[in-house]
Amino acid sequence: MRLHRNLVLAVIDSLNYIYNDGLYADKVVEKTLKRDTRWGARDRAFIAETIYDCVRWKRLYNEIAGTKNHFSQENLWKIFTVWATLKGISLPDWKQFEGTPVRRLKGKFDEFQSNRAIRESIPDWLDEMGVKELGKQWDKEIEALNQPASVILRTNTLKTTKKILHKALLEEEIGSEFVEGYPDALKLMERKNVFRTDIFKQGFFEVQDASSQLVAAYLDVKPGMRVIDACAGAGGKALHLAALMENKGQIIALDIYGNKLKELKRRAKRAGAHNIEPRTIDSTKVIKKLYNQADRVLIDSPCSGLGVLRRNPDAKWKLQPEFIENIKKTQAEILESYSKFLKIGGKMVYATCSILPSENEKQVQAFLKTHDNFHLVKEKKVSPAKSGFDGFYMALMERTA
């Protein structure tokens, strides 16, 4: 691979925004890719993948480069040099690369392989928490969470079938394959901008990880039911529920953030999902009005997001132990409050995109201990190491009295 100065400068500028200004990697990548309309698909892929690599391996590259967490322009070049050296890219005759100790950098990489927190490029506190919660399994999970995520589509069965979508993608020169065990999923053979296609604009699919696609199906919905999606956000799972319910019945999509529900409205229109009613939780009245009203309740709870580090690598550097402690309290409060939406005989799913037992099965156990009118029907843990997809947890409970 030959390095091009304008592309490398775009990467360096982007890392400055992410490392020094604390901006989110996905937003920076999106903005950077709009900088030059002459960049082709290969140029754009180089920029995006290099930025994400440097964010994912920030600690490891920082330790190898000896930049001491001080990300000046000169040090950003040193970190880029580490990236290029470890990728086996021959460095051009630029002043920024003068005197690069290639053998020493590779030696440093080998040296750090015995330190898991540096090797897997995570903060020490996160490594300690992972070991405490998951024991030996943490090794495998954090290694899997450092692999770049595949692009997975969910077929919108309100408009098409998986076979027809597969064929339509091929016509757009986008190769995909079926994913065993996931009835609506297609995995892209290589990264492509699917959002520019007519079939996306027509609502034939959503981009949704395979693990996330399991959640709506776990709720065991039927057409005609009254369903509450209690933490709907921008509505990925509400849209899936609408498809599973064949647009029959009612889905009340709740969230405390009205702007996310606006996005859900836009997505629902594109998907042809007519049975979703967004409601902003702007007072306790909104919640109390829905007590004992629902056949099904989905609680896609706020969480640490550790299960989705593959697609959000900068979360490793933004997360703090206090946030995780606080979010556990929020999870318990949400379970307590939103479980009241259920009718007797109704079912509820509590789900997170975390792999920590303290956010998952332990939350459910604590809830059931104080609610003898609920019982656990089944639960599922999706391991990134075993599945190759995002880490998720889901528990199906039934209200019996």
Side-chain angles (χ1 to χ4, degrees), residues 29-92:
V29 168
E30 193 182 318
K31 195 173 177 185
T32 301
L33 293 180
K34 289 175 181 166
R35 246 168 61 169
D36 194 330
T37 52
R38 292 166 300 175
W39 288 335
R42 196 174 290 177
D43 299 333
R44 297 161 70 81
F46 169 83
I47 291 169
E49 285 163 22
T50 308
I51 292 168
Y52 275 116
D53 264 354
C54 291
V55 171
R56 186 173 284 114
W57 302 108
K58 177 182 173 183
R59 180 174 184 184
L60 176 64
Y61 292 175
N62 174 56
E63 297 276 1
I64 293 171
T67 46
K68 296 184 167 54
N69 273 323
H70 179 58
F71 302 114
S72 62
Q73 192 77 356
E74 184 188 343
N75 284 348
L76 290 175
W77 275 97
K78 284 182 182 175
I79 282 167
F80 178 84
T81 305
V82 170
W83 173 85
T85 301
L86 296 180
K87 289 279 181 187
I89 296 166
S90 57
L91 299 172

Side-chain angles (χ1 to χ4, degrees), residues 31-312:
K31 195 173 177 185
T32 301
L33 293 180
K34 289 175 181 166
R35 246 168 61 169
D36 194 330
T37 52
R38 292 166 300 175
W39 288 335
R42 196 174 290 177
D43 299 333
R44 297 161 70 81
F46 169 83
I47 291 169
E49 285 163 22
T50 308
I51 292 168
Y52 275 116
D53 264 354
C54 291
V55 171
R56 186 173 284 114
W57 302 108
K58 177 182 173 183
R59 180 174 184 184
L60 176 64
Y61 292 175
N62 174 56
E63 297 276 1
I64 293 171
T67 46
K68 296 184 167 54
N69 273 323
H70 179 58
F71 302 114
S72 62
Q73 192 77 356
E74 184 188 343
N75 284 348
L76 290 175
W77 275 97
K78 284 182 182 175
I79 282 167
F80 178 84
T81 305
V82 170
W83 173 85
T85 301
L86 296 180
K87 289 279 181 187
I89 296 166
S90 57
L91 299 172
D93 187 17
W94 300 351
K95 75 173 187 339
Q96 290 91 345
F97 298 135
E98 277 173 15
T100 297
V102 171
R103 282 181 66 182
R104 190 164 68 80
L105 294 180
K106 288 179 177 173
K108 282 268 189 192
F109 174 81
D110 295 337
E111 192 185 306
F112 287 129
Q113 294 309 294
S114 56
N115 181 322
R116 182 180 49 229
I118 297 177
R119 180 185 75 229
E120 300 298 349
S121 198
I122 50 176
D124 289 333
W125 71 263
L126 182 55
D127 191 44
E128 286 157 20
M129 181 182 283
V131 171
K132 187 179 166 193
E133 295 237 7
L134 293 164
K136 287 181 180 172
Q137 186 60 23
W138 173 243
D139 249 339
K140 293 174 186 166
E141 299 299 5
I142 192 58
E143 186 184 347
L145 287 168
N146 270 325
Q147 306 308 311
S150 309
V151 179
I152 311 285
L153 310 183
R154 177 182 61 75
T155 311
N156 178 13
T157 53
L158 291 173
K159 291 204 168 185
T160 190
T161 66
K162 188 165 66 172
K163 282 184 179 174
I164 292 170
L165 177 59
H166 174 72
K167 197 176 167 194
L169 286 164
L170 274 180
E171 286 167 11
E172 301 262 10
E173 297 181 354
I174 299 171
S176 64
E177 59 187 10
F178 296 171
V179 186
E180 196 181 334
Y182 299 83
D184 301 324
L186 284 173
K187 179 181 174 181
L188 295 197
M189 314 290 269
E190 58 178 303
R191 283 190 168 272
K192 291 277 179 87
N193 188 347
V194 290
F195 301 115
R196 288 183 174 177
T197 61
D198 283 338
I199 46 176
F200 173 72
K201 290 166 190 167
Q202 289 162 21
F204 277 30
F205 65 85
E206 292 289 333
V207 175
Q208 187 179 12
D209 187 78
S211 300
S212 178
Q213 291 186 36
L214 297 172
V215 177
Y218 214 67
L219 193 56
D220 185 30
V221 291
K222 304 279 188 294
M225 282 184 166
R226 190 174 210 210
V227 177
I228 296 176
D229 183 352
C231 308
K237 295 177 185 72
L239 295 173
H240 194 185
L241 288 167
L244 293 170
M245 292 164 69
E246 298 164 15
N247 251 340
K248 295 166 188 161
Q250 182 190 27
I251 298 165
I252 298 170
L254 300 174
D255 206 272
I256 57 172
Y257 299 110
N259 58 328
K260 288 186 178 181
L261 294 176
K262 274 184 191 163
E263 172 68 2
L264 163 56
K265 270 187 185 173
R266 204 171 59 76
R267 291 173 76 187
K269 189 177 178 186
R270 187 180 62 235
H274 308 307
N275 63 339
I276 300 174
E277 186 192 319
R279 292 186 197 174
T280 307
I281 302 172
D282 49 16
S283 71
T284 52
K285 273 185 196 167
V286 176
I287 293 171
K288 286 178 179 169
K289 269 172 77 173
L290 292 168
Y291 284 175
N292 303 302
Q293 297 289 310
D295 301 298
R296 297 285 186 269
V297 172
L298 172 60
I299 299 175
D300 183 19
S301 182
C303 68
S304 63
L306 283 178
V308 293
L309 284 183
R310 299 173 328 135
R311 61 190 69 256
N312 299 319

